[in-house]
Amino acid sequence: MLIRPRRLRFNQHVRDMAREVRLSTKSLILPVFIMEGKNTKLPINSLEGHFYYSPDTVFEAVDSALKYGVNKILLFGVPEEKDEIGSQSFDEDGVIQKAVRAIKERYREEVFVITDVCMCEYTSHGHCGILDDEYVDNDRTLEYLSKIALSHAVAGADMVAPSDMMDGRVAAIRKTLDEHNFINTLIMSYAVKYSSAFYGPFREAAKSAPSFGNRKSYQMDYHNRKEAVKEALMDINEGADILMVKPALAYLDVISEVSKHSNLPTAAYSVSGEYAMIKAAAKMNLIDEYGVMCESAVSVFRAGADILISYYAKEIAQAINKGDIG
Ligand code: PBG
């Protein structure tokens, strides 16, 4: 036999050497939830192992991430007060603005701070924009998203990540940031975000489920792949710096498609439902949590992602540091 594929699997040295995909802790982003209050750290029931931090305790989350080599965090806010227009989302003393200032003051350039730009956690109706009757008004929402993004940049965010799925929001945000001289604040666009049942634990955690209807008139229909390329190309033209696909595991084909069609870095968001499924199945002794976590993380990079946002970011970093993956 001339060709024996098993030679490349003969021992660990060969397998390590011949790996096609390499992972780095530098490509990982950890989501962190911020709540109002002082000296508070409360467990998030729907996301085991994760906590709500007040702006003055969030250092604990950051220190712990840094210990594993994870120095990029994505912040989500859980405000105390909600209203029709999500006023707390762009308030300079909103929970995210306070947290960003606190983190940047303490860590400066040591930590890369990313903020979720959306309204659903802040609106009384739980939709991702301004309502016109029961329809989310796209163009009016753009003004608000731009205000939110600007308030995050003013507080010190390194990158803003709009997750609302309004048309034209990347261009609107870029214009506003540039007009205020935040030319180096990056935009990671949730360019390809599907209307997904995988967001359940997050909505529970962020108290952001819509009070009526669903998000199908703005988030994408999961039957569509070509539409993913359309959304990606639009956001490239609008000035996005990084494109994101979300969720990850059930959308590896989409990650692959988007990364092939774009010349920007592709991020994938392994969402709350993916994390919860692994946790729950492991608890029932049906799967090995560590093994499934490692395999899922690698699959996302193999599909073409350059960046991974995951609730397992610290554990994945540990697996990389141990040499089990990457
Ligand atoms: C806000 C937002 C959501 C997620 C990230 N940003 C929820 C949603 O769109 O309903 C989901 C993240 C996760 O499930 O981990 N729009």
Side-chain angles (χ1 to χ4, degrees):
M1 236 187 280
L2 274 176
I3 302 168
R4 287 183 185 272
R6 288 185 59 192
R7 264 198 298 272
L8 278 173
R9 299 172 208 141
F10 183 66
N11 64 24
Q12 195 61 44
H13 285 308
V14 186
R15 291 192 294 270
D16 282 348
M17 177 176 68
R19 273 179 178 168
E20 297 174 32
V21 170
R22 299 284 171 194
L23 274 65
S24 161
T25 57
K26 296 194 174 99
S27 316
L28 301 175
I29 299 172
L30 177 71
V32 176
F33 291 81
I34 314 289
M35 66 183 290
E36 290 284 1
K38 285 211 163 71
N39 204 18
T40 311
K41 178 187 174 188
L42 291 172
I44 302 178
N45 293 331
S46 60
L47 286 168
E48 195 191 317
H50 285 261
F51 296 85
Y52 301 104
Y53 298 90
S54 50
D56 60 346
T57 61
V58 67
F59 310 125
E60 273 185 51
V62 179
D63 285 338
S64 152
L66 287 175
K67 240 184 273 161
Y68 294 91
V70 175
N71 58 8
K72 298 170 192 75
I73 53 172
L74 172 58
L75 301 181
F76 292 98
V78 185
E80 223 147 62
E81 281 168 40
K82 301 181 189 232
D83 60 26
E84 281 282 300
I85 58 162
S87 312
Q88 284 299 305
S89 62
F90 48 85
D91 192 310
E92 75 174 283
D93 277 320
V95 65
I96 284 296
Q97 291 79 357
K98 274 191 259 188
V100 171
R101 279 197 297 270
I103 295 168
K104 275 291 158 188
E105 206 167 291
R106 175 124 156 196
Y107 298 93
R108 309 270 166 203
E109 301 310 312
E110 198 190 341
V111 174
F112 190 77
V113 177
I114 309 157
T115 54
D116 186 77
V117 173
C118 194
M119 306 187 69
C120 61
E121 296 103 307
Y122 302 88
T123 50
S124 42
H125 43 74
H127 277 286
C128 304
I130 304 296
L131 289 186
D132 176 10
D133 198 11
E134 297 212 335
Y135 188 73
V136 178
D137 183 333
N138 194 89
D139 299 8
R140 262 190 80 205
T141 300
L142 297 184
E143 297 164 33
Y144 287 86
L145 294 169
S146 302
K147 275 211 279 201
I148 301 171
L150 178 61
S151 73
H152 293 177
V154 169
D158 296 293
M159 176 156 84
V160 293
S163 67
D164 51 281
M165 285 304 277
M166 296 303 120
D167 295 332
R169 90 277 211 201
V170 173
I173 291 172
R174 185 72 272 159
K175 183 165 172 278
T176 303
L177 292 177
D178 286 1
E179 279 168 3
H180 292 82
N181 275 328
F182 289 102
I183 56 166
N184 288 320
T185 305
L186 290 89
I187 300 177
M188 173 167 68
S189 165
Y190 288 66
V192 183
K193 177 175 177 179
Y194 287 90
S195 177
S196 168
F198 282 98
Y199 307 150
F202 173 96
R203 290 187 188 168
E204 169 89 25
K207 302 174 179 75
S208 67
S211 62
F212 66 88
N214 53 51
R215 305 209 200 289
K216 289 185 184 178
S217 79
Y218 39 105
Q219 299 181 349
M220 288 168 59
D221 181 338
Y222 58 74
H223 296 75
N224 300 346
R225 195 172 64 196
K226 276 194 286 193
E227 192 184 17
V229 176
K230 170 175 147 191
E231 287 280 358
L233 295 179
M234 275 181 71
D235 284 7
I236 294 174
N237 288 333
E238 288 183 32
D241 299 288
I242 297 173
L243 301 177
M244 189 209 296
V245 175
K246 175 188 173 184
L249 211 47
Y251 296 83
L252 295 176
D253 58 326
V254 177
I255 295 173
S256 163
E257 197 83 0
V258 167
S259 72
K260 263 188 260 167
H261 279 88
S262 99
N263 48 12
L264 298 185
T266 306
Y269 194 150
S270 181
V271 298
S272 57
E274 302 177 38
Y275 178 79
M277 285 198 303
I278 300 177
K279 282 274 176 209
K283 211 167 269 168
M284 294 172 78
N285 279 321
L286 294 172
I287 59 168
D288 163 34
E289 181 177 13
Y290 185 75
V292 172
M293 174 196 79
C294 288
E295 201 173 320
S296 311
V298 170
S299 76
V300 168
F301 288 97
R302 194 185 60 233
D306 307 290
I307 298 163
L308 173 63
I309 304 158
S310 171
Y311 298 95
Y312 275 122
K314 289 192 288 189
E315 292 81 357
I316 294 167
Q318 200 171 26
I320 295 171
N321 294 333
K322 273 170 58 187
D324 289 340
I325 52 173

